[in-house]
């Protein structure tokens, strides 16, 4: 099961897993995109691909997706919690409802899907959960405060589950990509942010699947991203906050989101 499968990193996961012969449950809001993707992957790779459109910001939607999959006789052996979005701008100017939806999708949906999928994995004695966090999890993000906080939650949550379940056959991995070559920054209204070179989504997926095979609790794709991840341990936190603020300070009207 791949959430946020219609674009970006989620789309790259769908293609990579289908190429390895995995049947897929594709989840996103866009039903048309999902149906087209499911047909394409099924025809190209000879797999079963099912599209389940859902808005995971809604309470109970995550559990409902797994129930719908179960009614089709599908139980995910691998769950990839990729769906998420960010808001960018001055915290007080961004709509509160939008920021609460951000928390719901980036955190609550991850918890609900993981909680619903784990029992079947544990009964088989095998399974995997990949949660897409971000290098945003490694330090606070002024002007993207909610996004950074939600990704810190995802990282902490994932590593805790890694320790709980690795002796019971279920692997859990947090993926912390840096800037990735998707529409993320363009749509969020932070295209001008000084985020450096953007990694291909396919590379993020390849690195994460390799880390999963190695039993890692988390992975930060890219040497430069790993080096940046160490900076908060080396420099005063106030210095890190100033650096990040300079990178992300809005240069467009505040309030855009993706």
């Amino acid at each position: 099961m791949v959430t946020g499968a219609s674009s970006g990193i989620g789309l790259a996961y769908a293609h990579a897993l289908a190429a390895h012969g995995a049947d897929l449950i594709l989840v996103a809001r866009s039903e048309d995109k999902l149906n087209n993707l499911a047909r394409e992957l099924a025809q190209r790779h000879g797999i079963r691909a099912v599209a389940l459109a859902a808005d995971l910001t809604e309470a109970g939607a995550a559990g409902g997706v797994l129930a719908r999959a179960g009614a089709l006789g599908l139980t995910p052996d691998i769950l990839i919690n990729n769906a998420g979005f960010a808001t960018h701008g001055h915290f007080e100017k961004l709509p509160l409802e939008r920021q609460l939806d951000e928390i719901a999708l980036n955190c609550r949906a991850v918890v609900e899907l993981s909680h619903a999928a784990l029992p079947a994995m544990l009964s088989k004695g095998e399974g995997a959960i990949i949660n897409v966090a971000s290098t945003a999890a490694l330090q606070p993000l002024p002007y993207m405060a909610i996004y950074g906080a939600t990704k810190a939650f995802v990282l902490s949550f994932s590593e805790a589950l890694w320790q709980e379940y690795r002796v019971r056959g279920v692997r859990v991995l947090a993926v912390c990509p840096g800037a990735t070559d998707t529409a993320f920054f363009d749509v969020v209204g932070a295209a001008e942010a000084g985020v450096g070179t953007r990694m291909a989504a396919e590379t993020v997926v390849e690195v994460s699947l390799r880390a999963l095979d190695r039993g890692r609790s988390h992975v930060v794709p890219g040497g430069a991203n790993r080096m940046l991840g160490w900076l908060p341990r080396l420099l005063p936190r106030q210095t890190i906050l100033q650096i990040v603020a300079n990178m992300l300070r809005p240069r467009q009207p505040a309030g855009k989101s993706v």
Side-chain angles (χ1 to χ4, degrees):
M1 176 177 283
V2 182
T3 70
S6 61
S7 64
I9 293 174
L11 180 61
Y13 271 117
H15 279 283
L17 293 171
H20 282 84
D23 294 332
L24 295 173
I25 306 165
L26 306 171
V27 182
R29 290 185 302 173
S30 175
E31 187 169 9
D32 289 342
K33 283 186 178 181
L34 282 183
N35 286 331
N36 290 336
L37 177 61
R39 284 192 294 268
E40 175 191 348
L41 294 177
Q43 292 170 3
R44 181 183 299 179
H45 300 288
I47 61 156
R48 183 182 183 188
V50 175
L52 298 179
D55 183 353
L56 296 179
T57 65
E58 297 178 355
V65 163
L66 276 173
R68 289 161 60 193
L72 297 171
L74 299 171
T75 303
D77 300 299
I78 301 174
L79 169 63
I80 300 177
N81 285 309
N82 165 74
F85 74 89
T87 50
H88 174 244
H90 296 274
F91 169 71
E92 88 284 1
K93 295 181 180 179
L94 294 165
L96 177 59
E97 184 175 354
R98 183 65 171 162
Q99 295 185 83
L100 293 176
D101 282 346
E102 187 177 357
I103 295 169
L105 182 59
N106 295 6
C107 296
R108 187 180 65 198
V110 171
V111 172
E112 288 184 355
L113 282 169
S114 300
H115 192 268
L118 268 167
M121 294 180 185
L122 291 170
S123 69
K124 297 176 184 177
E126 61 180 2
I129 298 173
I130 298 176
N131 293 327
V132 178
S134 169
T135 52
L138 306 178
Q139 72 288 302
L141 297 187
Y143 308 111
M144 295 180 72
I146 298 299
Y147 183 72
T150 62
K151 292 306 182 178
F153 173 90
V154 170
L155 176 58
S156 177
F157 174 68
S158 301
E159 291 195 304
L161 295 191
W162 174 84
Q163 177 62 32
E164 282 191 50
Y165 295 109
R166 64 193 181 100
V167 296
R168 300 175 66 183
V170 177
R171 296 167 291 165
V172 181
L173 174 73
V175 186
C176 299
T180 305
D181 191 16
T182 68
F184 177 89
F185 286 100
D186 301 309
V187 182
V188 81
E192 76 285 0
V195 294
T197 303
R198 300 181 185 183
M199 182 176 291
E202 293 76 11
T203 302
V204 172
V205 169
E206 179 184 351
V207 169
S208 68
L209 293 177
R210 190 162 58 242
L212 182 70
D213 286 341
R214 293 174 178 173
R216 299 277 301 278
S217 64
H218 79 281
V219 65
V220 181
N225 290 328
R226 287 192 292 275
M227 289 178 62
L228 288 172
W230 276 95
L231 286 181
R233 305 183 186 190
L234 302 174
L235 298 176
R237 291 183 68 83
Q238 291 88 342
T239 301
I240 294 295
L241 287 168
Q242 186 61 58
I243 293 171
V244 177
N246 289 339
M247 292 171 60
L248 296 179
R249 183 172 288 107
R251 294 171 179 82
Q252 298 178 8
K256 285 195 173 184
S257 61
V258 58

